[in-house]
Amino acid sequence: MAQSEQTHPPGLLVLKDIDKTYRLGNLSVEALRRVSFTVFANDYVAITGPSGSGKSTLMHLIGCLDTPSSGELIIAGQRVSDLDPNQLAEIRNRRIGFVFQQFNLLRTMTAVRNVELPLIYAGVPKQERRERAITLLERVGLGNHLQHRPMELSGGQQQRVAIARALVGDPSIILADEPTGNLDSHSAAEILSIFEELNQSGRTLVVITHDANVAAKAQRILTIRDGQLQEAS
Amino acid sequence: MTWGQLVSSAFEAIRWNRLRSLLTILGIVIGIAAVMLTVGLGEGAQAKVSAKIASLGSNLLTVTPGSTTSAPGVRRGLGSASTLTMANAAALASHTVAPAIAAVAPITTQHATLTNGALNWPTTVEGTTPSWLTIRSRAIEAGRFIDSQDIKSSANVVVLGALSAQELFSTSNPIGKVVDVGPLPMTVIGVLAPIGSGTSATSNQDDIAIVPITTAQGSLVGTTATDSIQSILLQATSSSTLSAAYQEANHELMMLHGITNPANADFTITAEQSLFSAATSISATLTALLAGIATVSLIVGGIGVMNIMLVSVTERTREIGLRKALGAKPSDIRRQFLVEAAVLGVTGGLIGAALGLLGQLVLPGLIANPVSIPPLVTVAAVAVALLISLVFGVYPAARAAQLSPIDALRSE
């Protein structure tokens, strides 16, 4: 991993000529074509585009859930485009904080246990896990709901638990995929204001959305169309 | 993820689906309980047979005249030269001739009626020597057994079995009283401790009267060949020398009887144990059959665990995707599902073992068969339950580990 030792990386997230081609039998579908952009530390970037444009594919690549067919992907100075599944799992654990449209909380676990989950895979001791999880739940305004299970929480509350979970491992990038897609407008506004606060306190956010109102909160908007990037600031 | 966390999160997942988990482990519960009870029944039957053999006298060989051949029919040795004699018994008692034989008791047997005044009781009268008591593993309840002095003097004394004593004397003390054995008045010198009628394979061992063998030959038997005896009891020095004792007795008797071809032997040596070998082998076959059924039920139980684990992996695809997104490696996921299978298996094994031990207490009252489960079997049963669930958990766990996180997260 020579790239990880390169002198001071220019950006936190660097994509260079990323191609992603899916093979469906004999048919090959080009989901992304020569996508290049850089996200710097403390950026707040929105990636938008109509459905089928390739924004989900892009989100999977940035989230290290998938690897590009060609091109280079660098996160926090480390080239991740050709890592094996175990190394990718480690990158996801340390560098990425996911926020999903469906919240994706484990229904059998309390809020605090859900938030602890990334730290379990990072091997953080129990006491520290618990403390960090509680601190973050308090920060998203759920200090009184530590022992509630997802079913006992509203959608907005569940998404706040998910944000606490995304933050708990102190990742380089918060990667949100349609974070307000399942929320009423009031809860959505709450979530977006939390994002803004996070950005002001130095966090780097990448939000994938098709909602123009959500995208409008970002400092930069990247638009994907037919697998190609059209940047408009 | 540490093992402690894995186990506690496995318990959480299992508790979440309590009814289904219970149904899942039912196969293992039944299988383990069945295996344990099968082994317990086998062991119990074995112990019962061993006790029976011990009640007849341990490490016992019986020499009888005549021989059975592989062809139908019985060959009988006739004439004085081929009959068992006191001299034969004396020769076998020599430690230089037969070092593996610890004790020898020559026996004459006849049926006679014992009379005490108005009471009479037909019974088996055995003439023998003092060593009979130890060879037969019997004990004296009152008075004494015949001794070498009685043999030497052909004393008119008798030792009664518990049943015979009761029939003739009811509750009064028979020691010192005189009974007529056939035509001969004899003094009762002792009573044998009862061993119970149910423990004998052939006849009631308490319905007996013992007299000195010399008395029996001199006065009771109406034949001219007073030296001849009906059988010789031999006791080997230990169970491991039983076959050596057999060889020595066989060799010595062939020599004494001038027989060179073993097929022409005019005597038969039987081990009392062999009487029960058939019974034991039948129960062993039955045990093997039951164990086979129990094993099949365990395997079915294992397949049940695999089935539910596969369903669980499918149901929890989203959870697996999420855990992977949060940093779980394939090995973390594999371990999580393996531990869940193991927890199911051990829980089933423990419940099954508890049922088995309960059965050990309850069953003997219902089927009149002893059940004895060795402690090691209990431990092994739980270990087998763990092993089975792990074996059948490998495939579902591997499937879970290999799920792509994207597909897993996308699933609804």
Side-chain angles (χ1 to χ4, degrees), chain B residues 246-261:
Chain B
Y246 180 97
Q247 298 294 339
E248 289 166 6
N250 197 43
H251 180 259
E252 181 63 14
L253 288 173
M254 297 247 290
M255 212 180 69
L256 290 173
H257 293 189
I259 295 161
T260 47
N261 182 357

Side-chain angles (χ1 to χ4, degrees), chain A residues 80-96:
Chain A
V80 299
S81 19
D82 44 18
L83 296 182
D84 70 27
N86 282 334
Q87 292 168 318
L88 285 174
E90 218 161 282
I91 296 287
R92 290 195 293 267
N93 185 244
R94 294 210 330 262
R95 297 297 184 196
I96 313 287

Side-chain angles (χ1 to χ4, degrees), chain B residues 82-148:
Chain B
S82 51
T83 313
L84 295 176
T85 63
M86 284 299 281
N88 291 165
L92 293 177
S94 156
H95 288 298
T96 49
V97 167
I101 295 172
V104 175
I107 288 176
T108 65
T109 310
Q110 59 255 189
H111 294 279
T113 301
L114 275 53
T115 315
N116 171 33
L119 293 169
N120 59 65
W121 179 248
T123 189
T124 307
V125 178
E126 283 192 7
T128 187
T129 59
S131 50
W132 183 93
L133 197 65
T134 48
I135 291 178
R136 277 288 191 199
S137 302
R138 297 294 292 267
I140 283 290
E141 193 169 65
R144 63 175 180 87
F145 196 62
I146 53 175
D147 59 20
S148 50

Side-chain angles (χ1 to χ4, degrees), chain B residues 35 96 113 119 164 173 175 193 195 219 268 285 297 303 329 406:
Chain B
V35 166
T96 49
T113 301
L119 293 169
S164 315
N173 182 9
I175 309 292
I195 57 170
S219 322
T268 304
T285 309
S297 95
I303 293 169
K329 299 185 170 104
I406 300 171

